[in-house]
Amino acid sequence: MGKLDGKVAIVTGGASGIGLATVKAFAEKGAKVVLADFNVEVGQAKADELKAEGLEVSFVQVDAGSEESVKNLVAKAVQLYGKLDVIVNNAGIGSLGEMHELSYDDYHKVIRVNQDGVFFGTKYAVQEFLKTGGGVVLNTSSILGLVAEAGAYPYVASKHAVVGMTKSAALQYAGRNIRVNAVSPGYVVSGMVNKEALGEFYDGLVAKHPIGRLGNPDEIAHAFVFLAENDFVTGTVVPVDGGYTAQ
Ligand code: NAD
């Protein structure tokens, strides 16, 4: 089954898109997975579906932008499965609009989930890893953590921060058997990126990817499996982006 067999993993934003695909990919590799999401109805339903397929998946509600809530999530995972080996800090929200028109609340709403969420998830997971002798932190950044785009100021800021936070934590804990890596997906068809939601803007996004299509969530989950299993990789940000950032 490989290195994920018997491991305990948390995936935030696990009810949809990249998170859901990662929950499934980890569970199919034999991991016991806590599908953590803000959305109770969908999160519970997805966990039940995967359980019915014979996979070990439990739902726990979390608000990734709340320190108390993330602390509680990590405690619940340990309570459920006895330990924690991997956390995927994946929950994230988008932003649109001109920077000079954003209120502090518009700005901070995105930073709170995308950036603070990575801090909280990393902090409480590392506290567990230090007790048990090691673990893996995986973060979802974005191509917009590597290059910028107009009209997404808080999102770009938060995803660039995730790159720095990944490298900083990786260096801090490299000698303590804790690895920290990130994936930077190109545009991936998901809850927030789809033809219905984006209309004519969708074809423009496709055109920005040299490979001529958007990604699918399984292609991002595949990178998370690699990063979870390969013990020599830390402090790395892996673009999975159809050539977007090669341009
Ligand atoms: P999605 O909208 O399909 O899923 C996001 C999930 O996160 C939802 O289930 C939602 O309920 C949950 N969520 C939102 N706020 C939350 C919170 N505060 N606490 C807990 N859960 C919360 O999105 P996706 O496209 O799969 O995005 C997942 C991650 O990938 C995000 O960090 C996003 O920024 C990043 N990303 C997405 C794309 C893309 O094109 N889809 C590209 C690059 C990066």
Side-chain angles (χ1 to χ4, degrees), residues 235-246:
T236 300
V237 182
V238 178
V240 181
D241 66 2
Y244 192 108
T245 53

Side-chain angles (χ1 to χ4, degrees), residues 13 16 18 37-38 62-64 90 140-141 155 159 185-188 190-191:
S16 173
I18 293 166
D37 204 284
F38 192 64
V62 71
D63 175 1
N90 167 74
T140 306
S141 180
Y155 188 83
K159 293 300 185 178
Y187 284 93
V188 168
S190 70

Side-chain angles (χ1 to χ4, degrees), residues 59-81:
F59 173 72
V60 174
Q61 194 196 13
V62 71
D63 175 1
S66 153
E67 181 158 11
E68 237 358 82
S69 181
V70 175
K71 185 179 178 185
N72 176 58
L73 165 66
V74 170
K76 277 202 174 146
V78 173
Q79 206 181 327
L80 273 167
Y81 294 123

Side-chain angles (χ1 to χ4, degrees), residues 12-20 36-39 42-43 61-66 69 89-94 112-114 140-144 155 158-159 183-193 205 214 217 220 224:
T12 68
S16 173
I18 293 166
L20 179 59
D37 204 284
F38 192 64
N39 189 326
V42 179
Q61 194 196 13
V62 71
D63 175 1
S66 153
S69 181
N89 295 308
N90 167 74
I93 57 175
R112 178 184 175 276
V113 179
N114 296 10
T140 306
S141 180
S142 166
I143 45 174
L144 298 185
Y155 188 83
S158 68
K159 293 300 185 178
V183 175
S184 285
Y187 284 93
V188 168
V189 179
S190 70
M192 59 163 114
V193 178
L205 286 186
L214 303 192
I220 311 305
F224 279 129

Side-chain angles (χ1 to χ4, degrees), residues 23 52 64 66 87 100 115 128 147 149 177 182 188 191:
V23 168
S66 153
I87 190 163
H100 71 277
Q115 181 172 338
E128 285 307 314
V147 297
E149 200 168 83
N177 197 32
V188 168

Side-chain angles (χ1 to χ4, degrees), residues 165-177:
M165 291 157 88
T166 299
K167 292 179 181 174
S168 178
L171 295 179
Q172 184 104 48
Y173 300 107
R176 286 178 266 183
N177 197 32

